[in-house]
Amino acid sequence: MDVRSQISMVFHLDKCIGCHTCSIACKNIWTDRKGAEYMWWNNVETKPGTGFPTKWEDQRIYQGGWEKDGDGIALRGAGKRKGLSNIFYNPHLPVIDDYYEPFTYKYLDLIEARAGNDQPTARPISMITGKPMDIKMGPNWDDDLGGSPDYARNDPNLEALTPAERDAMFELERIAFFYLPRICNHCLNPGCVAACPSGAIYKRGEDGIVLIDQLVCRGWRMCVTACPYKKTFYNWSTGKSEKCILCYPRIEAGYAPACMHSCVGRIRYLGVMLYDADRIHAVASANEQDLVQAQLDMILDPFDPKVIAAAKANGIADSTLDAAQYSPTYKYVKKWGMALPLHPEFRTLPMLFYVPPLLPVMASVKTVDHTEQSEKMHDIAKHWPDNWVYDTSTTELFGTIADARLPLKYLASLFSAGDTEAVKVRLLKLMAVRIHRRRVTVGDISDQRADQALKEAGLTAAEAEDIYYLSALAKFNDRFVIPAAHREQAIEMMEFTGDVKGNIGFGFKADTAERGL
Ligand code: SF4
Ligand code: SF4
C-alpha cells in the first residue's frame, strides 16, 4: 500500500445557481493577461449543452484522454509514438472558434461621445485582431438553454437516449437543465502529464496539484490534446501552456481557492483524501462498468490504523492525516457515497466529484384550479389567473426518481460511464434527506414514510442530519479543510546545505520558512 494524499473537490450541483461568480473570480486573478483572453480555467456550463470548448466531451473530435489497450491503457491522441509523429503538427487541437474569439468593447466611444440626441454605443472589437467584429460565440453562449436547438440538442451525452426520450426531454413544459461548473480535476492519472514531451507538467507530491512549469514548457500543446476535459490552454503570447493551479499560493497560506471562496451557492467543498497509488494502473485500466467503483475503492479510510501507519511511513504529516479525517470530500464521496466523477470513462481518475442534481422535485405542470387561492388575495395584490402553472397540490410531495424530469440515462452518461444504478443510488440519498427534513421541519410526512425513504437509500436519521448540515448549514471551515502545506520541508529539500555551511553548524538553517511564506 503506497498511501498518498490528494487535495480533492466536491461540487454539489443541486446548489449551483449559475451565477458565474466563480468564473469571474478566477478570471480576474489568473487569466486577465495577454494571451489568456480566451481561457476560462473555471467555467460554468448549462447542461444539456455543448460546453466550452464546443463539444469538448466528444473525443471522436478531440482525441483526448485514455483508451483501453489490451490489459492496460494508452493515450488516445497523444503519447510517445503518436506525439512524436505529430510533434510539429498536432492535428487534434481545438481552434479558437471552438472556444470563441475573445472580444472587448470600444469604451472610448462611450466616454468621448459628444453630447447628442442619440445614445452612444460601444462596438465590440476582437482582442486578437483589434478590428470590429460580430460576436457569434462566448463562454457558455448557451447559458440557460439560450439557443437550445443549436446547443442543447447537440450535447454529446444525449447519444445515450433514444430519439423518443430526447424529444420528450425537450418538450417545452418538461424542459429541464442544470449547471455544471468545471475546473481542472487534478486527476490521479492525468493525461496532460503523460503526454507532455518536455516533462513540464508535474503532479505535486505533497498535495496532488497538477502544475505546468513555465520555464520548461515548449508549447508542443500535447497536453491540450491529451486532457479530455480541455483544461489546459495554450497562451499565444508567451508560447506556453497554462492551466488551473487550484490557487496553490492561497492553499499554501490556508485559504480556499478563489472560485471556491467566492462561490455564492456554497456548492464547493475541498479537502484531503488518502489513496493507494499502487492501484492507479489497475483502476485506470478497469472495465468501463467497474471504473467508478474501482476509483472509489482506491480511496482509503483515514481512520484505519493500517492506513495511518502506511501514511506516516510515506512521510504524510499528522496535520494532513487530521485534515483527511475531517475532510468534507471524504464524507461526500466515500462515507455517504453521494458524489461521482465527471466522465470516468476518460480514465484520468478525476479528483473533482459531483453530487448529481435532483432538480425540481415537487411541482408538476398541468391544469389546476387556482380560483380558491386567487379569491384569498387582496384586491391590490398582483396575481395572474393562470390555471395551468405549477401544481404543488399533489399528495405525493416528492416524485419518484424514475419520473425525474432529467432522464437518469443522461446523468449516467455524464457521471458514471452509463451506469444508471450508480446515479439512482445518489439521487435516492438526496431525496431521502429531503423527506427526512420535511418530517422534522413541516411534519406533514409520517414517520413511517420518512423511515422507509431513509431505509431505501441506506441511510440512518443521524447520517441524514450530517448530510443536511454539510449541504445546507456548513460554515466556511467545514467546507474547506485545508491542511498546513509544510512548504518549509519542500523549500528545505531544494536548498543546498553547502550554501549555509558555517551558519550555525553544517546545514543548520538560521531561518526556517513558515507556512504562508
Ligand atoms: S483535468 Fe486535464 S489538465 Fe487537469 S489534471 Fe486532468 S488531464 Fe490534466
Ligand atoms: S459561484 Fe458557485 S453558485 Fe455561482 S456559478 Fe459558480 S459554482 Fe455555481
Side-chain angles (χ1 to χ4, degrees):
M1 187 160 46
D2 180 5
V3 181
R4 311 246 179 119
S5 72
Q6 165 80 33
I7 297 271
S8 57
M9 296 78 68
V10 165
F11 290 0
H12 196 314
L13 294 184
D14 247 354
K15 303 205 293 166
C16 180
I17 55 173
C19 62
H20 300 261
T21 310
C22 47
S23 312
I24 300 301
C26 180
K27 189 85 193 147
N28 280 305
I29 293 180
W30 298 117
T31 58
D32 193 13
R33 290 170 286 112
K34 196 175 171 192
E37 301 90 348
Y38 76 101
M39 296 182 198
W40 292 83
W41 291 358
N42 180 110
N43 73 302
V44 185
E45 290 169 13
T46 299
K47 282 284 172 195
T50 46
F52 166 83
T54 305
K55 286 197 172 182
W56 62 270
E57 291 157 287
D58 191 343
Q59 303 311 335
R60 286 167 304 196
I61 302 173
Y62 294 118
Q63 300 283 307
W66 304 85
E67 58 190 352
K68 211 151 160 48
D69 184 14
D71 289 339
I73 49 171
L75 285 169
R76 196 177 269 125
K80 280 197 184 121
R81 199 163 37 81
K82 290 173 200 151
L84 195 62
S85 56
N86 289 328
I87 199 154
F88 294 111
Y89 169 62
N90 183 350
H92 307 304
L93 287 174
V95 296
I96 195 70
D97 285 344
D98 294 322
Y99 296 100
Y100 71 106
E101 185 169 343
F103 53 87
T104 184
Y105 294 91
K106 256 178 129 181
Y107 291 107
L108 279 183
D109 286 359
L110 297 180
I111 295 163
E112 294 177 346
R114 290 210 199 111
N117 292 331
D118 53 347
Q119 179 75 23
T121 53
R123 289 183 72 184
I125 48 170
S126 164
M127 288 171 87
I128 295 177
T129 62
K131 294 190 177 140
M133 64 181 274
D134 290 329
I135 301 172
K136 297 206 182 79
M137 184 68 178
N140 204 7
W141 195 241
D142 47 345
D143 199 8
D144 296 355
L145 295 181
S148 302
D150 289 338
Y151 299 102
R153 281 184 185 273
N154 282 318
D155 183 327
N157 297 292
L158 295 175
E159 281 178 19
L161 277 61
T162 63
E165 285 169 327
R166 271 182 245 180
D167 284 347
M169 200 172 149
F170 286 102
E171 275 173 33
L172 198 57
E173 68 274 15
R174 280 180 58 94
I175 206 160
F177 64 90
F178 66 95
Y179 301 106
L180 181 73
R182 298 202 299 122
I183 64 171
C184 164
N185 300 292
H186 297 276
C187 310
L188 290 186
N189 183 36
C192 58
V193 176
C196 177
S198 318
I201 313 187
Y202 61 102
K203 190 168 174 66
R204 295 211 306 191
E206 63 267 40
D207 52 18
I209 295 174
V210 176
L211 298 172
I212 302 178
D213 186 333
Q214 294 290 293
L215 294 177
V216 182
C217 175
R218 291 287 170 267
W220 297 116
R221 284 170 271 179
M222 290 299 165
C223 54
V224 180
T225 294
C227 172
Y229 303 93
K230 290 291 164 274
K231 281 295 171 190
T232 58
F233 300 85
Y234 178 67
N235 183 314
W236 57 265
S237 175
T238 61
K240 314 276 180 179
S241 288
E242 297 178 3
K243 66 180 284 302
C244 157
I245 59 172
L246 203 59
C247 285
Y248 75 83
R250 292 176 60 93
I251 287 196
E252 285 171 13
Y255 296 116
C259 59
M260 307 200 184
H261 193 127
S262 62
C263 173
V264 175
R266 303 179 179 198
I267 78 154
R268 298 175 176 225
Y269 301 81
L270 179 137
V272 171
M273 288 210 273
L274 302 177
Y275 70 97
D276 183 359
D278 279 341
R279 291 203 230 168
I280 290 180
H281 185 260
V283 173
S285 329
N287 290 327
E288 201 151 284
Q289 67 273 18
D290 304 326
L291 270 171
V292 173
Q293 196 51 48
Q295 186 176 351
L296 296 184
D297 289 346
M298 188 170 60
I299 297 164
L300 301 169
D301 178 359
F303 296 96
D304 181 342
K306 278 198 218 122
V307 171
I308 294 173
K312 287 190 175 185
N314 258 9
I316 295 178
D318 286 350
S319 52
T320 307
L321 289 176
D322 286 347
Q325 292 180 343
Y326 192 58
S327 165
T329 54
Y330 178 77
K331 288 179 191 158
Y332 270 122
V333 174
K334 191 73 196 239
K335 188 172 168 199
W336 300 327
M338 292 179 70
L340 290 165
L342 180 62
H343 286 299
E345 71 276 15
F346 297 161
R347 298 176 186 274
T348 60
L349 310 186
M351 288 312 272
L352 162 52
F353 298 84
Y354 292 87
V355 177
L358 196 52
L359 288 171
V361 287
M362 283 175 58
S364 61
V365 182
K366 60 180 182 185
T367 308
V368 284
D369 187 358
H370 288 311
T371 321
E372 194 186 335
Q373 187 69 14
S374 302
E375 280 167 2
K376 288 187 207 155
M377 306 285 273
H378 191 279
D379 289 347
I380 63 165
K382 187 164 184 175
H383 67 279
W384 290 263
D386 289 344
N387 278 339
W388 57 270
V389 286
Y390 287 111
D391 173 17
T392 54
S393 63
T394 51
T395 47
E396 181 52 51
L397 278 168
F398 297 91
T400 59
I401 298 291
D403 294 336
R405 288 166 63 195
L406 205 69
L408 281 183
K409 271 194 211 167
Y410 179 81
L411 291 175
S413 170
L414 272 171
F415 300 118
S416 61
D419 180 0
T420 47
E421 199 54 35
V423 176
K424 190 175 165 193
V425 168
R426 271 108 192 139
L427 293 185
L428 276 176
K429 290 186 181 183
L430 284 165
M431 186 77 89
V433 174
R434 288 190 185 197
I435 292 175
H436 166 74
R437 286 302 303 171
R438 176 105 188 178
R439 157 173 62 177
V440 175
T441 56
V442 183
D444 61 351
I445 288 188
S446 70
D447 284 353
Q448 195 190 15
R449 169 90 218 291
D451 289 340
Q452 175 72 17
L454 288 173
K455 199 168 153 215
E456 277 171 19
L459 293 175
T460 63
E463 277 174 328
E465 283 297 318
D466 287 349
I467 295 168
Y468 163 67
Y469 176 82
L470 203 54
S471 304
L473 305 177
K475 305 286 179 293
F476 198 87
N477 290 342
D478 300 315
R479 286 185 283 132
F480 307 113
V481 182
I482 303 167
H486 295 294
R487 290 301 291 163
E488 69 280 7
Q489 291 174 359
I491 292 166
E492 280 170 7
M493 273 194 292
M494 295 164 82
E495 297 276 339
F496 173 50
T497 47
D499 289 346
V500 287
K501 188 175 175 184
N503 273 6
I504 311 171
F506 183 73
F508 187 81
K509 282 169 60 64
D511 297 314
T512 301
E514 287 172 8
R515 176 182 181 178
L517 296 179

